[in-house]
Amino acid sequence: MNRVILILGVAGSGKDYVAKQMLETLPNAKMFKFADLIVDIASDIYSLNLRDPQVYEDFQKDRRFVLQNLGESLKIRVCPSIFANDVARRIAEDMYEAKESEERNYIISDCRYPGEIDLTAANLGAEDCEILCYFTDYHSERYNPNLEHKSEKFAQFLVKKGVSTGFVLYEVLEAYGEEFQKNGGEWI
């Protein structure tokens, strides 16, 4: 059975590091990001290759807000689930192209909202994929649990709830997602 692993955590908590480790150790692993679409659009706007890790890191230091605002604008003007739908579509295409006997591991390293988890599960179907969630709370030099942008709020909520680094049951995150929404947090 194919596996989708969604990685959650606050800024600088090691989401990409964990994803890279998984890419190196899991068979037939591919990485996706909900923000891939944003990065591609920003690359075109700024004439930069933001898919290059160093270029992206440099861009994000001074202009992270550009990516966040672009993402929020696309959710408002196009569709709230635009990023979850895009990633699910790309994963489904890859699953279709893969050999039936070949188990795949899909890693999504930038899960930010409870709705991204729910929509990924709904779009890919339980029959086709096992959905796993991994929370990371490593404290890198970029670690910042106090960023004010709404895309950081769910991970901050999980830290306050005492969720620690490791795999977290989907049902647990679903319950936390409901509580998060009841307290005014955004679903997606």
Side-chain angles (χ1 to χ4, degrees):
M1 176 177 278
N2 294 309
R3 212 175 277 116
V4 175
I5 304 168
L6 295 123
I7 302 174
L8 301 93
V10 300
S13 63
K15 294 181 297 293
D16 286 329
Y17 177 81
V18 168
K20 288 173 187 164
Q21 295 300 309
M22 289 181 180
L23 275 173
E24 292 175 9
T25 57
L26 294 172
N28 300 316
K30 287 189 172 186
M31 185 163 76
F32 293 87
K33 292 185 176 200
F34 291 118
D36 284 343
L37 188 58
I38 300 167
V39 168
D40 291 343
I41 293 169
S43 291
D44 288 345
I45 292 169
Y46 288 95
S47 298
L48 296 169
N49 177 11
L50 294 176
R51 291 286 183 133
D52 177 295
Q54 189 57 55
V55 174
Y56 181 78
E57 187 69 30
D58 292 343
F59 182 87
Q60 194 171 264
K61 283 179 189 171
D62 298 329
R63 296 178 267 188
R64 180 181 178 92
F65 69 94
V66 170
L67 300 174
Q68 291 171 326
N69 291 339
L70 177 58
E72 291 305 314
S73 294
L74 287 169
K75 285 176 18 181
I76 291 166
R77 297 185 186 284
V78 179
C79 174
S81 58
I82 185 172
F83 306 115
N85 292 344
D86 177 62
V87 168
R89 177 191 54 79
R90 290 186 290 133
I91 289 173
E93 286 173 359
D94 189 79
M95 286 173 19
Y96 179 78
E97 293 170 4
K99 297 175 188 163
E100 268 189 46
S101 61
E102 201 172 71
E103 182 180 278
R104 300 282 197 168
N105 289 288
Y106 300 102
I107 302 157
I108 303 173
S109 67
D110 63 344
C111 187
R112 301 270 185 214
Y113 297 96
E116 291 173 334
I117 301 166
D118 295 341
L119 287 166
T120 300
N123 285 337
L124 294 172
E127 309 85 42
D128 297 326
C129 282
E130 177 183 18
I131 306 293
L132 301 172
C133 301
Y134 189 92
F135 186 78
T136 179
D137 195 31
Y138 172 76
H139 294 210
S140 75
E141 66 276 355
R142 289 188 325 102
Y143 183 81
N144 188 346
N146 300 311
L147 288 177
E148 289 301 315
H149 194 268
K150 58 184 158 184
S151 65
E152 297 292 330
K153 298 301 180 192
F154 185 52
Q156 292 168 352
F157 177 82
L158 295 173
V159 168
K160 288 178 185 165
K161 287 293 181 180
V163 176
S164 58
T165 297
F167 283 98
V168 181
L169 291 174
Y170 173 78
E171 295 79 12
V172 170
L173 283 178
E174 192 173 41
Y176 279 140
E178 289 172 11
E179 184 181 344
F180 176 70
Q181 286 177 261
K182 286 178 186 172
N183 290 318
E186 291 194 19
W187 182 71
I188 194 154

